[in-house]
Amino acid sequence: MSPSKKILICISGSISAYKAASLASALKKKGHEVKTVATESALKFIGPAALEGITGQPVLTDMFNPGYEIPHINLSEWADMIVLYPASATTLARLRMGLAEDLLSAIFLSNNFRKPYWICPAMNINMLEHPAVQENLKILEKWGARIIDPDEGVLACGTVGKGRAPEPVPLAEMIEEAL
Ligand SMILES: Cc1cc2nc3c(=O)[nH]c(=O)nc-3n(C[C@H](O)[C@H](O)[C@H](O)COP(=O)(O)O)c2cc1C
């Protein structure tokens, strides 16, 4: 087990957002501190109670949170590592454009790759293979993000192919090794 680290899981609106709770749990079991930030869409796929119960920390979505002064800067400073899990196509486009209109994307900019930033795309195979998504991933990787290849298998839509979010426990192992 590596010494305790601070890991920020950023959750966007993919159907696999529910897996973020298992990733948080696996990392907590390894002795790490975990906080979560979710987009508004992500919270349609997973409720805050599960994430808050597992991490013991509030899930932040809003940039304008009373009691959390300048949360995007504070959370970037706090984290030893940031994992965007799962990464939706919309969030990837937002990051690639350098927008800072929500907390998750403002954290991406303010971290500016000073700490490792991992991206785990999860979406339907046609979305994943779309040139818009592929170009966005290439640019994010060129800037300094680490792109974790999605798993292959049966997707939520019933199609078989690439696009599944990596399973939380093996991903937690990869994070542990990287730390
Ligand atoms: C049932 C359902 C499942 C979805 N699954 C995905 C997905 O796996 N990946 C993805 O990129 N978008 C998915 N979407 C679309 C996103 O939720 C939508 O683009 C949303 O705007 C993403 O917002 P965010 O990136 O701000 O979280 C899904 C939408 C619905 C209704």
Side-chain angles (χ1 to χ4, degrees):
M1 210 187 261
S2 62
S4 174
K5 297 282 185 182
K6 299 183 178 104
I7 301 161
L8 180 64
I9 304 176
C10 290
I11 310 165
S12 60
S14 151
I15 199 161
S16 53
Y18 72 95
K19 290 183 177 177
S22 301
L23 177 63
S25 171
L27 291 168
K28 285 282 287 183
K29 282 181 190 149
K30 291 180 181 296
H32 302 301
E33 273 184 75
V34 180
K35 290 187 181 181
T36 55
V37 164
T39 62
E40 283 181 13
S41 300
L43 293 180
K44 294 188 188 296
F45 296 102
I46 179 165
L51 296 166
E52 293 183 354
I54 289 166
T55 63
Q57 300 283 340
V59 185
L60 296 184
T61 297
D62 194 355
M63 188 105 76
F64 303 97
N65 247 300
Y68 290 89
E69 309 89 17
I70 326 186
H72 55 300
I73 308 294
N74 291 343
L75 284 166
S76 304
E77 296 291 337
W78 173 85
D80 293 312
M81 177 176 190
I82 302 175
V83 185
L84 173 54
Y85 179 88
S88 73
T90 301
T91 287
L92 292 174
R94 213 178 270 133
L95 301 190
R96 182 253 180 278
M97 290 299 291
L99 301 178
E101 61 188 9
D102 66 359
L103 182 56
L104 189 152
S105 41
I107 288 169
F108 174 74
L109 283 186
S110 61
N111 176 58
N112 200 7
F113 307 109
R114 285 175 303 123
K115 325 272 181 70
Y117 194 104
W118 287 19
I119 293 179
C120 305
M123 64 199 71
N124 162 273
I125 187 165
N126 293 330
M127 292 173 75
L128 182 69
E129 288 178 347
H130 194 286
V133 173
Q134 288 300 315
E135 288 295 318
N136 289 341
L137 286 170
K138 265 188 221 146
I139 287 184
L140 293 166
E141 188 170 40
K142 193 175 95 186
W143 288 348
R146 177 168 173 189
I147 311 297
I148 306 297
D149 221 18
D151 286 352
E152 286 193 36
V154 182
L155 306 177
C157 53
T159 315
V160 177
K162 206 171 183 182
R164 290 171 59 85
E167 288 307 312
V169 171
L171 180 62
E173 293 294 336
M174 282 174 68
I175 292 171
E176 176 86 352
E177 276 169 33
L179 289 170

